[in-house]
Amino acid sequence: MLLGVRLLNSLGLSGVPFTGMDIGGFTGNPSQSLYARWIQVGAFNPYFRNHTAVNTKASEPWTYGEEVLEIARNYISLRYKLLPYLYSTFYEATQNGHPVMRSLAIDYTFDKNIYKGDFQNQYLFGSAFMVAPFEGDAKFGKIYFPAGKWYDLYTGEVQNGNQQIIADINMHKLPVYVKESSIIPMQSLVQTTAEKPTDTLTIHVYKGDINNQFVYYEDDGESYAYENGAYYKRTISYSPATNTITFNKVEGSLSSKFKNIKLVLHGFNASSTIKLNGNVVTPNDDFSSLLTPISKFDPQGSANPVEGERVKSILFKNDNNTLSINY
């Protein structure tokens, strides 16, 4: 599995963005913990599938027991929610060659720490996520944070960069962190790409001290009509110096499948006044949670707690003209 991570990073450096592994390994019979970790890592691969050879153990998640099934369900569901981010990141790869799965050497070339063997399996998934894979049965692990601030994907806890930590590791969660100032589009949960999500696109913005842009992209996903302008493309910008988030005017002739936008603000001042195109709007107090707690499978015990963070959010129409949010 970890060798596969390094291989996919190498392929990305070689200009091949569409890569993936056989989850669980094509041959051999992985342990429960290895399979659980592999399917978590696979959710943050460009191409995500499990696949196995004849005369080896079946590789469907339910064949590894109820605990692994719940873990797999969590990360498969998260993958489906992240499809707008993933599709836009693949579009970016066609425009500038940046791979979907990125070695830290691309963004942090002159940071000597990323070349140490202890951190050789860490990678970026698009521009926003840093993934730190470990063996399925690992209890502790070293994680290095490059320059900047990093948010724990599941709790919102902030970690400062240019340092390493010894982190508690368990089978239920893959260590994933979000870079400050990141812009992440997500959709409602679907069970297949043939199923339509709800009409609301959720844009997660993580407070930071650096400027950032994200190009959000849609097309029909089926034809070559995008070559004739039938696409929907919008640049979303975050400027901490001016306390502004901007949705630029839409490019392309395709209408978005999302009629509304929900902007979710992570790490922002709860008392800040928010304005949409100059008009004051009242934000909602929300709780952002990406994983369902894994059962304890003990009738005498209490359920595992829900992990998440308190956030602010606003909901507005997905207008094709420029939208400016000040906070």
Side-chain angles (χ1 to χ4, degrees):
M1 177 189 71
L2 296 178
L3 179 61
V5 167
R6 299 196 292 275
L7 175 60
L8 299 191
N9 284 339
S10 296
L11 285 167
L13 289 169
S14 302
V16 185
F18 188 44
T19 58
M21 295 183 279
D22 290 334
I23 304 303
F26 186 66
T27 59
N29 298 310
S31 64
Q32 289 179 313
S33 59
L34 175 58
Y35 181 85
R37 180 71 75 222
W38 212 326
I39 207 161
Q40 292 167 343
V41 171
F44 290 89
N45 283 176
Y47 182 43
F48 182 28
R49 74 165 183 177
N50 62 344
H51 186 51
T52 188
V54 175
N55 295 324
T56 58
K57 182 177 179 178
S59 200
E60 291 82 8
W62 53 83
T63 65
Y64 290 84
E66 293 185 22
E67 184 177 23
V68 174
L69 176 60
E70 290 189 14
I71 294 169
R73 185 182 290 119
N74 262 338
Y75 281 86
I76 293 170
S77 296
L78 179 57
R79 170 79 170 202
Y80 273 117
K81 292 176 183 178
L82 283 170
L83 283 181
Y85 172 82
L86 180 59
Y87 204 76
S88 299
T89 302
F90 265 111
Y91 170 76
E92 180 190 10
T94 69
Q95 301 301 298
N96 59 22
H98 281 177
V100 175
M101 189 167 166
R102 304 175 184 178
S103 164
L104 295 182
I106 293 179
D107 286 8
Y108 304 99
T109 310
F110 302 106
D111 185 340
K112 63 182 180 181
N113 292 299
I114 68 164
Y115 301 103
K116 294 180 179 178
D118 286 343
F119 314 117
Q120 64 180 332
N121 298 313
Q122 291 182 213
Y123 65 92
L124 300 177
F125 186 63
S127 60
F129 298 102
M130 183 177 72
V131 182
F134 292 94
E135 299 86 349
D137 57 357
K139 303 300 181 185
F140 301 94
K142 290 183 181 180
I143 300 175
Y144 177 71
F145 296 88
K149 292 186 296 187
W150 298 87
Y151 290 78
D152 185 296
L153 175 62
Y154 314 109
T155 66
E157 181 181 350
V158 176
Q159 192 71 236
N160 290 321
N162 290 320
Q163 65 170 323
Q164 71 178 51
I165 66 169
I166 304 296
D168 291 330
I169 308 296
N170 64 67
M171 187 176 76
H172 294 170
K173 291 193 306 180
L174 173 70
V176 181
Y177 299 88
V178 180
K179 185 179 180 179
E180 65 171 315
S181 302
S182 288
I183 301 165
I184 303 172
M186 295 179 66
Q187 66 181 22
S188 63
L189 177 61
V190 295
Q191 299 301 316
T192 165
T193 53
E195 180 184 338
K196 291 184 179 180
T198 65
D199 63 358
T200 299
L201 177 69
T202 302
I203 304 292
H204 294 265
V205 178
Y206 288 77
K207 184 176 176 59
D209 298 323
I210 57 177
N211 292 335
N212 190 30
Q213 286 189 338
F214 185 88
V215 178
Y216 173 74
Y217 178 84
E218 290 181 44
D219 55 32
D220 64 18
E222 297 177 350
S223 72
Y224 292 99
Y226 68 90
E227 294 180 345
N228 297 314
Y231 56 82
Y232 175 98
K233 184 169 72 170
R234 181 172 226 166
T235 300
I236 307 170
S237 303
Y238 170 68
S239 174
T242 60
N243 294 337
T244 305
I245 300 166
T246 304
F247 291 72
N248 286 2
K249 186 176 181 179
V250 170
E251 300 176 46
S253 61
L254 185 73
S255 296
S256 174
K257 58 178 171 283
F258 299 105
K259 306 305 179 187
N260 303 297
I261 294 174
K262 182 179 181 180
L263 180 65
V264 179
L265 302 173
H266 297 256
F268 286 76
N269 189 336
S271 63
S272 297
T273 299
I274 298 178
K275 294 183 179 180
L276 172 62
N277 287 346
N279 300 312
V280 176
V281 295
T282 302
N284 296 311
D285 291 313
D286 280 344
F287 184 73
S288 177
S289 179
L290 296 177
L291 300 181
T292 300
I294 303 300
S295 302
K296 285 189 174 179
F297 303 105
D298 179 2
Q300 301 299 319
S302 59
N304 282 304
V306 176
E307 279 194 315
E309 59 176 310
R310 306 302 310 185
V311 294
K312 293 289 185 180
S313 70
I314 59 172
L315 182 68
F316 50 91
K317 291 292 183 184
N318 188 7
D319 192 302
N320 284 356
N321 296 312
T322 300
L323 297 168
S324 181
I325 295 93
N326 296 95
Y327 56 90

